[in-house]
Amino acid sequence: AYVATRIAETVKKIGPAPTKFCVFTMGSMARDESGFFTDLEIGILVTKKDQKVLDYFKRFSQVLADRFFL
């Protein structure tokens, strides 16, 4: 729920994605073993790939990473 909330906040902040996407976690988070100081391994699947999509998700991932850090 925490990750889903941060994703929704990120989309609200930077605007809707130019394509459908799905975010998935790997490592300890996917195993439900993450702790306060765990690293985050997150992947993003998109339905199309072009420069607009790449630019959006480059910004999306940075804003999301900043939000997790803070």
Side-chain angles (χ1 to χ4, degrees):
Y2 176 79
V3 174
T5 301
R6 299 294 85 79
I7 290 168
E9 290 172 354
T10 301
V11 170
K12 185 176 181 179
K13 181 175 182 170
I14 66 172
T19 188
K20 291 181 182 181
F21 71 98
C22 177
V23 176
F24 63 96
T25 62
M26 300 173 282
S28 60
M29 184 175 279
R31 294 188 307 269
D32 202 23
E33 299 172 351
S34 59
F36 186 72
F37 291 107
T38 197
D39 63 325
L40 298 175
E41 300 163 322
I42 296 174
I44 302 170
L45 298 173
V46 296
T47 57
K48 72 176 186 175
K49 181 179 170 185
D50 60 25
Q51 194 59 50
K52 184 176 179 180
V53 171
L54 294 173
D55 291 343
Y56 178 89
F57 284 103
K58 183 176 182 180
R59 174 142 168 74
F60 175 91
S61 61
Q62 186 60 60
V63 170
L64 187 61
D66 291 347
R67 181 66 177 120
F68 283 140
F69 181 74
L70 298 174

